[in-house]
Amino acid sequence: MLTGYLRKGSKSTRLKMALMLLVLSCQFVHVLSEKSSSALTVVESTETSLDDEDAHHMEEESDPEDLDVFRPTDQWQSLKPGQAVPRGSHVRLNLQTRQREVKLGEHQILKYQIDGQRQGKENTPGPSFNAEELKKALKNIKEGVDPETSDKEKEEKEALRAQFRPMEELKRDMAKLDMLMESDFQVISRLMSQFNSSNTTVEEKIKALHDLEYLVHQVDNAQNLASSGGLKLVVDALNSTDYRLQESAAFVLGSALSSNPVVQVEAVESGTLQKLLMLLATPRPMSVKKKALFAVASLLRHFPFAQSHFLKLGGLQVLGDLFRASEGGALRVRIVTILYDMINEKELISQTGLDPIPDASHNERLQQYAQVSLMPLLAEQGWCSLVPELLASPEHDWKEKALRTILAMMPHCQTQYRQDYTLSSSLRTLQEQYQELVLSEQALGDEDGYFGEILVLLETVLLKLK
């Protein structure tokens, strides 16, 4: 109807009607768009999403040329103008210096990786494992395998493990050692069986005696040797035609007899002293005589019965002949030491006898030492003139031993010494020498030196000769 009307109207009228129709159509479309629930409206967002903001912030932080970020520590440090600080840092204004200062916060966790970039990590998530990985890890723990160990570390562990033996193997070896372990008594029995065997060579016997000498230093082992009959075998070896066996046997006897009364009694009863004196009285190598003299000294020490037996067998005469012999020079100080020990022991036991309550053993020993008539024999056999010969020795130790022995023999040799002008002259010469040596010691800060002791001995001897 409207269309037909437009057709019949004038041109201007039709134009007006078309404009009105267009306006009505636009209004109608607008009304429909506001009321329709399915209409599409595009709205431009004015807010930035959280993810975009974080990404943008990380891009800004990752740029090394953007800001100069200050790296704080747990101490307050000055902050330069234009420097940025990490989040969580404490910042203050120092009123004295008018500068801002910064340090790490109490709960701040920052890790910097210096490789050209700065990275901050907070709440780094730990590794996650699934069920299969957990089962595998537990299995490795039970088997003693470290899943994070590298191949190199495994090889090092294997090489280290190869240097040690398994515990089970060690237990088996220790059990075998327990079965093979020998006591000292068993070792001594084995050595003596080997020594007494007819199939054993001289070298093997010497080695057996050498091993035996090491064992008999212990008192119990030496007594076991005597009780088992081994001591008699060693004593019989003194009669061997081989000088090496004589020397080794005398060495074993000297070690076994030292401070061991049980073995000393057994040795005297088995005729050991006679055989040792025979070695000293007859031509033998110097090594044999040294070991024989060592055995004699061990047998006589603190044993008055052996000392009395020694004097009855002419032992003092044997020592005198050995002292005078040209080859006895190296043995002189040892011989004089034996004589001094015998004199000193009897003197000490006599002084101890003044005790108002002496025990029974002391009285018995006192009676035994009373039977040892050593001093008259020393004077009779010329020892008063033999001992001073050691004063000509260049060794200070030899001179000291000679002076001590001269003082010990003074009660029986004093008259002879006073008439010996050569001895007096030698003593005065030695006095002058040792006075100079004492001065040299004192110059070095040693007020009570060794030379001072010898000088005191010299002055004591000279005083008794006046």
Side-chain angles (χ1 to χ4, degrees), residues 14 29 76 84 91 113 135 147 173 177 204 237 257 266 287 291 294 306 328 332 377 379 383 456 462 465:
R14 289 198 300 272
V29 171
W76 289 104
V91 181
Q113 182 178 355
K135 290 180 180 180
D173 292 345
L177 288 176
E204 292 174 343
L257 293 169
E266 181 71 20
S287 59
K291 293 299 188 293
F294 166 60
R332 284 188 169 189
L377 289 177
W383 285 99
V456 171
L462 289 171
L465 296 181

Side-chain angles (χ1 to χ4, degrees), residues 297-314:
S298 299
L299 181 57
L300 299 181
R301 188 176 298 117
H302 303 298
F303 193 17
F305 177 76
Q307 295 177 13
S308 179
H309 194 53
F310 170 77
L311 296 178
K312 293 177 181 179
L313 293 175

Side-chain angles (χ1 to χ4, degrees), residues 131-234:
E132 294 297 330
E133 291 175 343
L134 290 176
K135 290 180 180 180
K136 185 176 180 181
L138 290 174
K139 182 179 179 181
N140 291 333
I141 291 175
K142 292 180 179 180
E143 295 178 355
V145 180
D146 187 1
E148 297 182 357
T149 304
S150 62
D151 294 339
K152 183 177 180 180
E153 292 177 350
K154 290 181 179 179
E155 292 177 358
E156 292 178 355
K157 288 184 177 181
E158 292 295 333
L160 182 61
R161 191 178 292 110
Q163 297 177 3
F164 300 94
R165 301 168 63 186
M167 182 60 67
E168 296 298 329
E169 184 178 350
L170 289 176
K171 290 180 179 180
R172 290 195 300 268
D173 292 345
M174 290 301 295
K176 293 180 181 179
L177 288 176
D178 290 337
M179 292 186 294
L180 297 176
M181 188 68 67
E182 290 181 307
S183 63
D184 288 349
F185 180 77
Q186 291 173 333
V187 174
I188 292 174
S189 300
R190 177 173 54 82
L191 291 174
M192 294 315 301
S193 298
Q194 181 182 358
F195 177 79
N196 196 33
S197 175
S198 58
N199 297 326
T200 305
T201 62
V202 175
E203 286 73 14
E204 292 174 343
K205 289 184 178 182
I206 293 174
K207 185 180 184 305
L209 291 175
H210 177 77
D211 296 339
L212 185 64
E213 189 275 334
Y214 174 79
L215 293 172
V216 296
H217 280 280
Q218 297 185 13
V219 175
D220 295 339
N221 290 338
Q223 294 178 359
N224 290 333
L225 177 67
S227 62
S228 63
L231 184 65
K232 186 178 183 305
L233 295 176
V234 177

Side-chain angles (χ1 to χ4, degrees), residues 206-384:
I206 293 174
K207 185 180 184 305
L209 291 175
H210 177 77
D211 296 339
L212 185 64
E213 189 275 334
Y214 174 79
L215 293 172
V216 296
H217 280 280
Q218 297 185 13
V219 175
D220 295 339
N221 290 338
Q223 294 178 359
N224 290 333
L225 177 67
S227 62
S228 63
L231 184 65
K232 186 178 183 305
L233 295 176
V234 177
V235 173
D236 292 341
L238 296 175
N239 295 329
S240 173
T241 57
D242 193 306
Y243 293 149
R244 295 174 298 171
L245 282 177
Q246 293 176 358
E247 177 184 353
S248 300
F251 193 28
V252 173
L253 288 174
S255 299
L257 293 169
S258 181
S259 302
N260 200 328
V262 175
V263 183
Q264 287 176 329
V265 172
E266 181 71 20
V268 172
E269 293 178 351
S270 62
T272 303
L273 190 55
Q274 295 91 319
K275 296 179 181 180
L276 290 173
L277 291 176
M278 183 62 66
L279 294 179
L280 295 175
T282 56
R284 292 288 191 279
M286 182 59 64
S287 59
V288 175
K289 292 191 175 184
K290 285 182 179 179
K291 293 299 188 293
L293 195 60
F294 166 60
V296 169
S298 299
L299 181 57
L300 299 181
R301 188 176 298 117
H302 303 298
F303 193 17
F305 177 76
Q307 295 177 13
S308 179
H309 194 53
F310 170 77
L311 296 178
K312 293 177 181 179
L313 293 175
L316 199 60
Q317 183 65 41
V318 173
L319 295 184
D321 295 340
L322 186 60
F323 188 93
R324 296 183 182 92
S326 58
E327 68 272 10
L331 301 178
R332 284 188 169 189
V333 66
R334 302 186 186 190
I335 295 173
V336 172
T337 302
I338 293 175
L339 299 179
Y340 174 76
D341 290 341
M342 293 175 63
I343 298 172
N344 194 43
E345 284 178 18
K346 186 175 181 178
E347 183 67 22
L348 290 177
I349 198 70
S350 300
Q351 292 177 1
T352 309
L354 299 176
D355 191 339
I357 310 178
D359 55 10
S361 61
H362 171 74
N363 290 332
E364 182 179 357
R365 288 170 57 83
L366 187 60
Q367 294 176 1
Q368 292 176 355
Y369 274 106
Q371 298 176 3
V372 180
S373 301
L374 177 62
M375 294 297 293
L377 289 177
L378 289 175
E380 180 183 340
Q381 296 185 15
W383 285 99
C384 294

Side-chain angles (χ1 to χ4, degrees), residues 2-238:
L2 182 57
T3 306
Y5 179 78
L6 290 174
R7 290 177 180 175
K8 291 179 181 183
S10 61
K11 184 177 180 181
S12 60
T13 303
R14 289 198 300 272
L15 182 58
K16 292 179 179 180
M17 292 298 292
L19 291 173
M20 291 178 62
L21 183 60
L22 179 59
V23 171
L24 290 174
S25 299
C26 292
Q27 292 179 354
F28 180 73
V29 171
H30 179 69
V31 172
L32 290 177
S33 64
E34 289 180 353
K35 294 181 178 182
S36 175
S37 59
S38 62
L40 178 62
T41 303
V42 179
V43 181
E44 182 178 0
S45 175
T46 60
E47 297 179 0
T48 305
S49 65
L50 181 61
D51 294 337
D52 293 343
E53 182 179 357
D54 290 341
H56 181 67
H57 178 70
M58 292 302 294
E59 290 177 0
E60 288 181 353
E61 279 192 349
S62 62
D63 188 3
E65 299 179 357
D66 189 11
L67 291 175
D68 182 12
V69 179
F70 183 80
R71 297 187 181 184
T73 62
D74 57 350
Q75 302 294 331
W76 289 104
Q77 296 180 355
S78 299
L79 188 67
K80 297 180 180 180
Q83 284 185 320
V85 297
R87 286 183 296 178
S89 303
H90 290 320
V91 181
R92 73 178 183 184
L93 178 62
N94 193 326
L95 298 178
Q96 295 180 355
T97 61
R98 301 290 182 177
Q99 292 181 355
R100 289 193 305 161
E101 297 178 346
V102 62
K103 74 172 185 178
L104 291 173
E106 296 179 357
H107 303 290
Q108 186 178 20
I109 302 176
L110 291 175
K111 295 182 180 180
Y112 290 92
Q113 182 178 355
I114 305 176
D115 57 354
Q117 295 182 353
R118 297 185 304 274
Q119 294 181 355
K121 296 184 179 181
E122 296 182 2
N123 300 328
T124 304
S128 59
F129 303 95
N130 54 31
E132 294 297 330
E133 291 175 343
L134 290 176
K135 290 180 180 180
K136 185 176 180 181
L138 290 174
K139 182 179 179 181
N140 291 333
I141 291 175
K142 292 180 179 180
E143 295 178 355
V145 180
D146 187 1
E148 297 182 357
T149 304
S150 62
D151 294 339
K152 183 177 180 180
E153 292 177 350
K154 290 181 179 179
E155 292 177 358
E156 292 178 355
K157 288 184 177 181
E158 292 295 333
L160 182 61
R161 191 178 292 110
Q163 297 177 3
F164 300 94
R165 301 168 63 186
M167 182 60 67
E168 296 298 329
E169 184 178 350
L170 289 176
K171 290 180 179 180
R172 290 195 300 268
D173 292 345
M174 290 301 295
K176 293 180 181 179
L177 288 176
D178 290 337
M179 292 186 294
L180 297 176
M181 188 68 67
E182 290 181 307
S183 63
D184 288 349
F185 180 77
Q186 291 173 333
V187 174
I188 292 174
S189 300
R190 177 173 54 82
L191 291 174
M192 294 315 301
S193 298
Q194 181 182 358
F195 177 79
N196 196 33
S197 175
S198 58
N199 297 326
T200 305
T201 62
V202 175
E203 286 73 14
E204 292 174 343
K205 289 184 178 182
I206 293 174
K207 185 180 184 305
L209 291 175
H210 177 77
D211 296 339
L212 185 64
E213 189 275 334
Y214 174 79
L215 293 172
V216 296
H217 280 280
Q218 297 185 13
V219 175
D220 295 339
N221 290 338
Q223 294 178 359
N224 290 333
L225 177 67
S227 62
S228 63
L231 184 65
K232 186 178 183 305
L233 295 176
V234 177
V235 173
D236 292 341
L238 296 175

